[in-house]
PDB file of all heavy atoms in Angstrom:
ATOM      1  N   ALA A 243      34.007 130.774  62.902  1.00  0.00           N
ATOM      2  CA  ALA A 243      34.568 131.974  63.523  1.00  0.00           C
ATOM      3  C   ALA A 243      34.726 133.097  62.510  1.00  0.00           C
ATOM      4  O   ALA A 243      35.131 132.871  61.358  1.00  0.00           O
ATOM      5  CB  ALA A 243      35.921 131.649  64.147  1.00  0.00           C
ATOM      6  N   ALA A 244      34.399 134.302  62.938  1.00  0.00           N
ATOM      7  CA  ALA A 244      34.624 135.497  62.121  1.00  0.00           C
ATOM      8  C   ALA A 244      35.912 136.172  62.579  1.00  0.00           C
ATOM      9  O   ALA A 244      36.468 135.840  63.626  1.00  0.00           O
ATOM     10  CB  ALA A 244      33.439 136.447  62.257  1.00  0.00           C
ATOM     11  N   ASN A 245      36.374 137.107  61.780  1.00  0.00           N
ATOM     12  CA  ASN A 245      37.558 137.907  62.139  1.00  0.00           C
ATOM     13  C   ASN A 245      38.800 137.042  62.377  1.00  0.00           C
ATOM     14  O   ASN A 245      39.582 137.308  63.293  1.00  0.00           O
ATOM     15  CB  ASN A 245      37.280 138.757  63.386  1.00  0.00           C
ATOM     16  CG  ASN A 245      36.058 139.639  63.233  1.00  0.00           C
ATOM     17  OD1 ASN A 245      35.902 140.301  62.213  1.00  0.00           O
ATOM     18  ND2 ASN A 245      35.185 139.626  64.234  1.00  0.00           N
ATOM     19  N   VAL A 246      38.969 136.015  61.552  1.00  0.00           N
ATOM     20  CA  VAL A 246      40.150 135.155  61.681  1.00  0.00           C
ATOM     21  C   VAL A 246      41.321 135.792  60.937  1.00  0.00           C
ATOM     22  O   VAL A 246      41.238 136.061  59.735  1.00  0.00           O
ATOM     23  CB  VAL A 246      39.879 133.745  61.125  1.00  0.00           C
ATOM     24  CG1 VAL A 246      41.135 132.875  61.247  1.00  0.00           C
ATOM     25  CG2 VAL A 246      38.702 133.098  61.845  1.00  0.00           C
ATOM     26  N   GLN A 247      42.407 136.049  61.661  1.00  0.00           N
ATOM     27  CA  GLN A 247      43.627 136.568  61.045  1.00  0.00           C
ATOM     28  C   GLN A 247      44.520 135.397  60.622  1.00  0.00           C
ATOM     29  O   GLN A 247      44.771 134.491  61.407  1.00  0.00           O
ATOM     30  CB  GLN A 247      44.423 137.421  62.025  1.00  0.00           C
ATOM     31  CG  GLN A 247      43.709 138.614  62.597  1.00  0.00           C
ATOM     32  CD  GLN A 247      44.614 139.348  63.583  1.00  0.00           C
ATOM     33  OE1 GLN A 247      45.730 139.743  63.255  1.00  0.00           O
ATOM     34  NE2 GLN A 247      44.136 139.520  64.810  1.00  0.00           N
ATOM     35  N   LYS A 248      45.003 135.429  59.388  1.00  0.00           N
ATOM     36  CA  LYS A 248      45.979 134.451  58.928  1.00  0.00           C
ATOM     37  C   LYS A 248      47.315 135.170  58.828  1.00  0.00           C
ATOM     38  O   LYS A 248      47.482 136.071  58.002  1.00  0.00           O
ATOM     39  CB  LYS A 248      45.574 133.862  57.587  1.00  0.00           C
ATOM     40  CG  LYS A 248      44.298 133.035  57.645  1.00  0.00           C
ATOM     41  CD  LYS A 248      43.974 132.445  56.286  1.00  0.00           C
ATOM     42  CE  LYS A 248      42.661 131.675  56.334  1.00  0.00           C
ATOM     43  NZ  LYS A 248      42.320 131.106  54.999  1.00  0.00           N
ATOM     44  N   VAL A 249      48.240 134.796  59.688  1.00  0.00           N
ATOM     45  CA  VAL A 249      49.516 135.497  59.766  1.00  0.00           C
ATOM     46  C   VAL A 249      50.622 134.603  59.200  1.00  0.00           C
ATOM     47  O   VAL A 249      50.908 133.525  59.735  1.00  0.00           O
ATOM     48  CB  VAL A 249      49.837 135.880  61.223  1.00  0.00           C
ATOM     49  CG1 VAL A 249      51.132 136.678  61.282  1.00  0.00           C
ATOM     50  CG2 VAL A 249      48.692 136.675  61.831  1.00  0.00           C
ATOM     51  N   LYS A 250      51.236 135.067  58.114  1.00  0.00           N
ATOM     52  CA  LYS A 250      52.301 134.302  57.461  1.00  0.00           C
ATOM     53  C   LYS A 250      53.639 135.026  57.597  1.00  0.00           C
ATOM     54  O   LYS A 250      53.699 136.206  57.903  1.00  0.00           O
ATOM     55  CB  LYS A 250      51.981 134.113  55.979  1.00  0.00           C
ATOM     56  CG  LYS A 250      50.669 133.398  55.695  1.00  0.00           C
ATOM     57  CD  LYS A 250      50.444 133.284  54.194  1.00  0.00           C
ATOM     58  CE  LYS A 250      49.125 132.578  53.877  1.00  0.00           C
ATOM     59  NZ  LYS A 250      48.890 132.477  52.415  1.00  0.00           N
ATOM     60  N   ASP A 251      54.689 134.289  57.358  1.00  0.00           N
ATOM     61  CA  ASP A 251      56.043 134.834  57.202  1.00  0.00           C
ATOM     62  C   ASP A 251      56.655 135.418  58.481  1.00  0.00           C
ATOM     63  O   ASP A 251      57.692 136.084  58.413  1.00  0.00           O
ATOM     64  CB  ASP A 251      56.083 135.897  56.098  1.00  0.00           C
ATOM     65  CG  ASP A 251      55.595 135.345  54.757  1.00  0.00           C
ATOM     66  OD1 ASP A 251      55.884 134.169  54.488  1.00  0.00           O
ATOM     67  OD2 ASP A 251      54.929 136.093  54.012  1.00  0.00           O
ATOM     68  N   LEU A 252      56.045 135.169  59.629  1.00  0.00           N
ATOM     69  CA  LEU A 252      56.688 135.587  60.874  1.00  0.00           C
ATOM     70  C   LEU A 252      57.759 134.582  61.297  1.00  0.00           C
ATOM     71  O   LEU A 252      58.733 134.943  61.951  1.00  0.00           O
ATOM     72  CB  LEU A 252      55.658 135.735  61.992  1.00  0.00           C
ATOM     73  CG  LEU A 252      54.857 137.039  62.053  1.00  0.00           C
ATOM     74  CD1 LEU A 252      53.927 137.025  63.262  1.00  0.00           C
ATOM     75  CD2 LEU A 252      55.773 138.250  62.112  1.00  0.00           C
ATOM     76  N   LEU A 253      57.553 133.342  60.919  1.00  0.00           N
ATOM     77  CA  LEU A 253      58.497 132.277  61.275  1.00  0.00           C
ATOM     78  C   LEU A 253      59.339 131.887  60.060  1.00  0.00           C
ATOM     79  O   LEU A 253      58.846 131.903  58.926  1.00  0.00           O
ATOM     80  CB  LEU A 253      57.737 131.048  61.780  1.00  0.00           C
ATOM     81  CG  LEU A 253      57.068 131.170  63.153  1.00  0.00           C
ATOM     82  CD1 LEU A 253      56.085 130.033  63.372  1.00  0.00           C
ATOM     83  CD2 LEU A 253      58.117 131.190  64.260  1.00  0.00           C
ATOM     84  N   PRO A 254      60.597 131.520  60.271  1.00  0.00           N
ATOM     85  CA  PRO A 254      61.425 131.030  59.157  1.00  0.00           C
ATOM     86  C   PRO A 254      60.822 129.747  58.574  1.00  0.00           C
ATOM     87  O   PRO A 254      60.048 129.047  59.235  1.00  0.00           O
ATOM     88  CB  PRO A 254      62.772 130.738  59.819  1.00  0.00           C
ATOM     89  CG  PRO A 254      62.764 131.502  61.087  1.00  0.00           C
ATOM     90  CD  PRO A 254      61.339 131.574  61.530  1.00  0.00           C
ATOM     91  N   LYS A 255      61.188 129.440  57.335  1.00  0.00           N
ATOM     92  CA  LYS A 255      60.682 128.222  56.716  1.00  0.00           C
ATOM     93  C   LYS A 255      61.126 127.009  57.525  1.00  0.00           C
ATOM     94  O   LYS A 255      62.276 126.895  57.927  1.00  0.00           O
ATOM     95  CB  LYS A 255      61.185 128.104  55.278  1.00  0.00           C
ATOM     96  CG  LYS A 255      60.505 129.069  54.324  1.00  0.00           C
ATOM     97  CD  LYS A 255      60.950 128.828  52.894  1.00  0.00           C
ATOM     98  CE  LYS A 255      60.234 129.777  51.944  1.00  0.00           C
ATOM     99  NZ  LYS A 255      60.647 129.552  50.532  1.00  0.00           N
ATOM    100  N   GLY A 256      60.184 126.110  57.740  1.00  0.00           N
ATOM    101  CA  GLY A 256      60.479 124.921  58.515  1.00  0.00           C
ATOM    102  C   GLY A 256      59.203 124.180  58.844  1.00  0.00           C
ATOM    103  O   GLY A 256      58.111 124.533  58.375  1.00  0.00           O
ATOM    104  N   GLU A 257      59.335 123.135  59.647  1.00  0.00           N
ATOM    105  CA  GLU A 257      58.185 122.355  60.121  1.00  0.00           C
ATOM    106  C   GLU A 257      58.012 122.639  61.602  1.00  0.00           C
ATOM    107  O   GLU A 257      58.932 122.483  62.395  1.00  0.00           O
ATOM    108  CB  GLU A 257      58.424 120.860  59.887  1.00  0.00           C
ATOM    109  CG  GLU A 257      57.234 119.999  60.269  1.00  0.00           C
ATOM    110  CD  GLU A 257      57.494 118.517  60.051  1.00  0.00           C
ATOM    111  OE1 GLU A 257      58.562 118.157  59.519  1.00  0.00           O
ATOM    112  OE2 GLU A 257      56.617 117.714  60.431  1.00  0.00           O
ATOM    113  N   TYR A 258      56.784 123.038  61.959  1.00  0.00           N
ATOM    114  CA  TYR A 258      56.497 123.453  63.338  1.00  0.00           C
ATOM    115  C   TYR A 258      55.428 122.550  63.937  1.00  0.00           C
ATOM    116  O   TYR A 258      54.479 122.173  63.266  1.00  0.00           O
ATOM    117  CB  TYR A 258      56.032 124.914  63.370  1.00  0.00           C
ATOM    118  CG  TYR A 258      57.106 125.883  62.947  1.00  0.00           C
ATOM    119  CD1 TYR A 258      57.337 126.160  61.604  1.00  0.00           C
ATOM    120  CD2 TYR A 258      57.939 126.490  63.887  1.00  0.00           C
ATOM    121  CE1 TYR A 258      58.347 127.021  61.215  1.00  0.00           C
ATOM    122  CE2 TYR A 258      58.954 127.354  63.503  1.00  0.00           C
ATOM    123  CZ  TYR A 258      59.149 127.609  62.161  1.00  0.00           C
ATOM    124  OH  TYR A 258      60.154 128.464  61.783  1.00  0.00           O
ATOM    125  N   GLU A 259      55.591 122.236  65.248  1.00  0.00           N
ATOM    126  CA  GLU A 259      54.611 121.351  65.888  1.00  0.00           C
ATOM    127  C   GLU A 259      54.153 121.837  67.251  1.00  0.00           C
ATOM    128  O   GLU A 259      53.172 121.336  67.779  1.00  0.00           O
ATOM    129  CB  GLU A 259      55.178 119.923  66.018  1.00  0.00           C
ATOM    130  CG  GLU A 259      55.160 119.146  64.717  1.00  0.00           C
ATOM    131  CD  GLU A 259      54.834 117.674  64.919  1.00  0.00           C
ATOM    132  OE1 GLU A 259      54.468 117.294  66.044  1.00  0.00           O
ATOM    133  OE2 GLU A 259      54.943 116.929  63.941  1.00  0.00           O
ATOM    134  N   GLY A 260      54.843 122.796  67.855  1.00  0.00           N
ATOM    135  CA  GLY A 260      54.505 123.190  69.226  1.00  0.00           C
ATOM    136  C   GLY A 260      54.198 124.659  69.358  1.00  0.00           C
ATOM    137  O   GLY A 260      54.841 125.508  68.740  1.00  0.00           O
ATOM    138  N   LEU A 261      53.199 124.970  70.182  1.00  0.00           N
ATOM    139  CA  LEU A 261      52.845 126.354  70.476  1.00  0.00           C
ATOM    140  C   LEU A 261      52.353 126.429  71.911  1.00  0.00           C
ATOM    141  O   LEU A 261      51.596 125.571  72.371  1.00  0.00           O
ATOM    142  CB  LEU A 261      51.740 126.845  69.531  1.00  0.00           C
ATOM    143  CG  LEU A 261      51.377 128.330  69.643  1.00  0.00           C
ATOM    144  CD1 LEU A 261      52.509 129.201  69.120  1.00  0.00           C
ATOM    145  CD2 LEU A 261      50.092 128.631  68.873  1.00  0.00           C
ATOM    146  N   ALA A 262      52.788 127.454  72.637  1.00  0.00           N
ATOM    147  CA  ALA A 262      52.346 127.637  74.025  1.00  0.00           C
ATOM    148  C   ALA A 262      52.382 129.117  74.366  1.00  0.00           C
ATOM    149  O   ALA A 262      53.066 129.907  73.711  1.00  0.00           O
ATOM    150  CB  ALA A 262      53.243 126.849  74.981  1.00  0.00           C
ATOM    151  N   ALA A 263      51.633 129.485  75.421  1.00  0.00           N
ATOM    152  CA  ALA A 263      51.570 130.885  75.851  1.00  0.00           C
ATOM    153  C   ALA A 263      52.052 131.014  77.284  1.00  0.00           C
ATOM    154  O   ALA A 263      51.885 130.109  78.105  1.00  0.00           O
ATOM    155  CB  ALA A 263      50.132 131.394  75.736  1.00  0.00           C
TER     156      ALA A 263
END
Side-chain angles (χ1 to χ4, degrees):
N245 305 313
V246 179
Q247 301 179 55
K248 294 182 183 179
V249 183
K250 301 179 180 179
D251 303 324
L252 278 182
L253 289 166
K255 287 185 179 180
E257 184 181 355
Y258 294 84
E259 283 217 8
L261 186 70

